[in-house]
Amino acid sequence: MSADTTQDRISLHPHARRVRVWDGDTLIADSTRAVELRERGYPPRQYLPESDVHMAHLVHSANVTHCPFKGDAIYFSVTAHPDIAWQYANPLADMAAIADRLAFDDRALDVRVEKA
């Protein structure tokens, strides 16, 4: 049996559908330049360019985690929700397309992806 590799478990899908992220009535992000990351065993995540995120609404967290398939993630919080956004500033080579992009926890925030 072969070892699980990034290519076996993660795929990246750039798209131009509008993605908006809301914290209640506050718009956190608005982008038409998302990369959808699909990872086996997890829901799809929209990675948005940092330039499309209203970073003033986020506070950098001290939390850092490591994924053997993506690299080290740093986290961001909003007032009512700790660690609801994450970013791989220096992802592993196979994940270069998500560098400097943020993904959001759709259990805490309203992540809306327009239909194609």
Side-chain angles (χ1 to χ4, degrees):
M1 181 174 263
S2 66
D4 200 9
T5 66
T6 301
Q7 294 84 8
D8 294 336
R9 66 179 294 124
I10 298 174
S11 60
L12 300 173
H13 306 270
H15 65 81
R17 297 187 315 268
R18 188 176 189 187
V19 178
R20 290 184 286 176
V21 180
W22 297 87
D23 179 20
D25 293 333
T26 303
L27 181 64
I28 301 291
D30 190 348
S31 182
T32 57
R33 302 179 297 147
V35 172
E36 184 174 272
L37 184 143
R38 299 177 193 159
E39 183 173 3
R40 188 177 52 217
Y42 295 94
R45 297 289 185 200
Q46 305 299 316
Y47 279 78
L48 309 180
E50 186 174 324
S51 59
D52 293 346
V53 177
H54 303 289
M55 295 301 290
H57 295 298
L58 302 175
V59 176
H60 189 270
S61 167
N63 194 18
V64 176
T65 61
H66 178 77
C67 171
F69 303 104
K70 295 184 285 278
D72 293 332
I74 59 173
Y75 288 81
F76 298 87
S77 302
V78 296
T79 304
H81 305 289
D83 298 340
I84 51 80
W86 58 92
Q87 179 181 54
Y88 293 90
N90 296 300
L92 299 177
D94 288 345
M95 295 289 106
I98 64 168
D100 297 320
R101 293 172 174 268
L102 283 89
F104 297 87
D105 186 344
D106 59 7
R107 295 169 299 173
L109 300 176
D110 182 8
V111 179
R112 301 178 194 171
V113 182
E114 287 186 353
K115 305 256 189 264

